[in-house]
């Protein structure tokens, strides 16, 4: 709901705004990320769908330009995705095997492919395994943890941030900084 001038509401391009939520597409969605005027979504089968503004190739469908904006969801490739993040004019995604992909506006290096070039289709970034990414305006960030094993979080009272900080402390103290064994059992079981 809100402004939909570039098709980011998933409705016809002449539907510039709405003040209430409307269903987009016919399937069910597991995850969604929106920024400025484009949307990324993962469906219940792990498929990646995009819609909205495509002026910088941020939809990942192999095209560029506002004329190629989409008012309804377009499926991108055949990979299964676990996480996505929409930036201002670029997009990031992680496939279920932990591979990181980036596409869209790249002239500030935000795609992470060692170039300053805009890409209109997802490009694999490195060979590391990623667990989380976030696309900013002209930058990207993520969590890349190799060989993380034996992590137990048994405290529902601890915040996600505190748990991630615990992982960071263990990795910094490890010998090779690529493997961690962390047993974090709550001491106040009230």
């Amino acid at each position: 709901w809100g402004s939909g001038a570039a098709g980011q509401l998933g409705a016809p391009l002449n539907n510039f705004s709405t003040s209430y939520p409307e269903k987009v597409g016919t399937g069910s969605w597991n995850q969604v990320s929106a920024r400025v005027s484009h949307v990324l979504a993962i469906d219940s089968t792990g498929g990646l769908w995009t819609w909205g503004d495509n002026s910088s190739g941020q939809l990942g469908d192999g095209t560029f330009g506002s004329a190629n904006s989409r008012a309804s969801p377009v499926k991108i490739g055949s990979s299964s995705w676990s996480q996505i993040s929409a930036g201002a004019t670029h997009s990031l995604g992680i496939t279920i095997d932990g591979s990181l992909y980036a596409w869209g506006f790249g002239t500030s290096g935000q795609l992470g492919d060692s170039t300053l070039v805009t890409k209109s289709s997802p490009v694999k970034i490195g060979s590391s395994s990623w667990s989380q990414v976030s696309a900013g305006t002209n930058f990207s960030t993520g969590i890349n943890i190799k060989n993380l094993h034996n992590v137990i979080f048994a405290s529902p009272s601890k915040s996600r941030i505190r748990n991630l900080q615990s992982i960071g402390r263990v990795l910094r103290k490890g010998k090779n900084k690529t493997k961690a064994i962390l047993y974090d059992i709550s001491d106040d079981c009230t």
Side-chain angles (χ1 to χ4, degrees):
W1 51 97
S3 174
Q8 66 267 38
L9 298 182
L13 288 174
N14 61 359
N15 184 7
F16 291 116
S17 67
T18 183
S19 60
Y20 53 89
E22 291 188 44
K23 183 171 174 61
V24 174
T26 58
S28 60
W29 305 107
N30 286 351
Q31 190 179 135
V32 65
S33 179
R35 184 78 186 266
V36 183
S37 57
H38 79 288
V39 180
L40 311 172
I42 298 174
D43 68 18
S44 60
T45 68
L48 173 62
W49 298 78
T50 64
W51 61 94
D53 180 44
N54 197 31
S55 57
S56 298
Q58 64 265 47
L59 296 186
D61 66 355
T63 65
F64 286 101
S66 296
N68 293 306
S69 294
R70 309 282 185 226
S72 58
V74 175
K75 187 162 188 197
I76 306 303
S78 59
S79 297
S80 289
W81 300 81
S82 63
Q83 203 253 324
I84 46 169
S85 182
T89 53
H90 73 291
S91 302
L92 304 172
I94 300 173
T95 55
I96 59 170
D97 68 357
S99 297
L100 173 62
Y101 288 82
W103 60 97
F105 196 67
T107 61
S108 295
Q110 63 267 49
L111 299 184
D113 65 348
S114 300
T115 73
L116 302 176
V117 178
T118 297
K119 308 286 190 314
S120 63
S121 297
V123 175
K124 187 173 180 180
I125 308 303
S127 60
S128 296
S129 182
W130 295 82
S131 61
Q132 185 75 32
V133 290
S134 184
T137 300
N138 288 315
F139 71 98
S140 300
T141 188
I143 299 172
N144 167 347
I145 301 177
K146 294 181 184 178
N147 302 319
L148 183 62
H149 299 287
N150 304 322
V151 177
I152 300 172
F153 293 113
S155 173
S157 64
K158 285 189 177 180
S159 73
R160 183 171 172 9
I161 298 297
R162 187 165 173 202
N163 288 334
L164 291 174
Q165 288 170 340
S166 296
I167 293 171
R169 281 192 297 276
V170 169
L171 290 175
R172 282 193 307 273
K173 292 181 181 184
K175 289 180 183 175
N176 61 10
K177 301 195 182 354
T178 61
K179 187 172 182 179
I181 298 175
L182 173 64
Y183 300 94
D184 190 0
I185 307 299
S186 175
D187 57 331
D188 75 298
C189 297
T190 56

